[in-house]
Amino acid sequence: MELKDRIAAVRKAAGLTQEQLGELLGVTRQAVSKWESGLSYT
């Protein structure tokens, strides 16, 4: 399982939106979306 798949699975299992996960991690929803799509975030 790739990291992007793990991020999406953990977020969904926790019942979090991308925005909520971003808030917990101190990043934007766009960053979470990019991680889940497999794009690098720089």
Side-chain angles (χ1 to χ4, degrees), residues 1-16:
M1 180 181 279
E2 292 187 39
L3 180 59
K4 68 183 186 82
D5 299 323
R6 290 180 185 181
I7 292 169
V10 168
R11 179 182 65 79
K12 290 174 185 174
L16 298 172

Side-chain angles (χ1 to χ4, degrees), residues 10-31:
V10 168
R11 179 182 65 79
K12 290 174 185 174
L16 298 172
T17 64
Q18 288 181 337
E19 184 173 274
Q20 291 168 323
L21 180 59
E23 287 176 12
L24 288 172
L25 298 175
V27 298
T28 64
R29 184 204 55 79
Q30 290 84 5

